[in-house]
Amino acid sequence: MNNFEKRFISRAEDLIDDLYDIAGDCDTRKLFDIGRFGWLLTVGRHYPDDEFLTEEEFSILSEGERIWRQSLEIEDERLALVRAWIDASKVERDIGLGLYCCAMLMSGMYRNEDEAIVLFRVASERYAFAIMAPIVIDLEAGTHGEITGVKNHDNNPAAEMARRRHKEHYELSKYAIDHWHKNIDKKLSASKAAEELIGIVKLSHKKLAELISAEKKKVT
């Protein structure tokens, strides 16, 4: 696994954890069906010439768009994901597409680095949309409704928790880098420096090593 793959997989792991928090107890399989068709739509509309989709996927996309446009019944099992997308709320589409893109990155299911970059970009965008949406999820009834006129996250504790966690992660990362600059021998490898930071900064060894490695490149 090269540095490119490690970097994107690490970021995808962070995103997928937060997306699962926002999704709560929603049906994961349903979300991935939603996300898969969302990915086909995204590629078909914005990256049609980049060869990210197979012929079969283009066929599913074409048929799915026709069904969606004409409000047709779905009989082909292959097209169940189309029904999932059509019936989903906007926030379900955002979460589902974000989860799907992260899963593709983490499993290495991309053809080249260009596709990996697009997957990460789309996942990040959908996460941002989901975390900013003021929503109420009624899990027992299985309904999802957006509330208009709400300017905070009081109605979405999971989204607020994810937002706070990202803020905390940013602050811890900044503190770790500052401590490294002031107190740790720059000749130590990123891994060794991370060991020095364990217990001082509440981040994993993996995250700390990534931070130090990136900072070393900036200052050399």
Side-chain angles (χ1 to χ4, degrees):
M1 185 181 295
N2 60 37
N3 288 334
F4 176 89
E5 291 172 321
K6 289 179 181 178
R7 185 170 72 251
F8 274 89
I9 288 175
S10 176
R11 299 299 179 266
E13 287 172 349
D14 293 338
L15 279 176
I16 205 167
D17 285 344
D18 284 340
L19 285 165
Y20 273 127
D21 280 347
I22 299 171
D25 294 332
C26 294
D27 185 340
T28 302
R29 183 172 180 177
K30 174 187 172 185
L31 288 173
F32 273 89
D33 278 346
I34 293 168
R36 185 184 174 205
F37 189 66
W39 173 245
L40 298 184
L41 284 171
T42 300
V43 173
R45 292 176 179 179
H46 303 292
Y47 306 94
D49 301 321
D50 288 84
E51 299 182 352
F52 294 163
L53 302 183
T54 64
E55 287 187 15
E56 181 183 4
E57 287 172 327
F58 266 117
S59 175
I60 292 172
L61 172 60
S62 177
E63 186 65 12
E65 288 191 301
R66 187 178 72 86
I67 290 169
W68 190 11
R69 186 171 57 251
Q70 299 179 15
S71 301
L72 302 176
E73 292 295 323
I74 296 175
E75 297 179 358
D76 189 339
E77 278 293 320
R78 292 184 317 142
L79 301 175
L81 70 166
V82 179
R83 174 52 57 195
W85 174 268
I86 292 171
D87 291 343
S89 68
K90 183 181 184 306
V91 71
E92 285 178 310
R93 290 174 181 175
D94 288 335
I95 294 171
L97 181 50
L99 286 172
Y100 182 80
C101 290
C102 287
M104 292 281 283
L105 280 169
M106 292 168 64
S107 60
M109 299 291 288
Y110 47 86
R111 293 161 182 78
N112 50 50
E113 291 187 357
D114 286 341
E115 185 174 6
I117 290 169
V118 173
L119 282 164
F120 184 74
R121 175 185 174 184
V122 173
S124 299
E125 289 174 345
R126 294 300 145 176
Y127 167 75
F129 292 151
I131 202 172
M132 292 304 293
I135 59 170
V136 168
I137 301 179
D138 184 347
L139 295 171
E140 290 185 1
T143 59
H144 298 250
E146 296 185 14
I147 299 179
T148 58
V150 179
K151 296 183 180 180
N152 56 48
H153 293 278
D154 292 343
N155 294 295
N156 187 2
E160 176 66 10
M161 186 188 310
R163 186 187 67 81
R164 288 180 180 177
R165 186 162 61 247
H166 268 274
K167 181 181 178 182
E168 180 184 11
H169 184 274
Y170 172 81
E171 292 172 348
L172 288 172
S173 298
K174 186 175 183 300
Y175 179 75
I177 291 170
D178 288 343
H179 189 87
W180 175 74
H181 276 294
K182 295 174 182 177
N183 303 291
I184 296 178
D185 186 352
K186 306 303 178 295
K187 295 179 181 178
L188 291 177
S189 68
S191 180
K192 289 291 185 181
E195 290 177 8
E196 296 284 323
L197 286 166
I198 289 291
I200 298 172
V201 184
K202 292 182 180 179
L203 292 173
S204 70
H205 180 274
K206 175 184 173 184
K207 291 296 179 188
L208 289 168
E210 287 179 352
L211 287 170
I212 300 307
S213 178
E215 190 64 15
K216 276 176 171 283
K217 292 175 182 177
K218 290 181 183 178
V219 299
T220 56

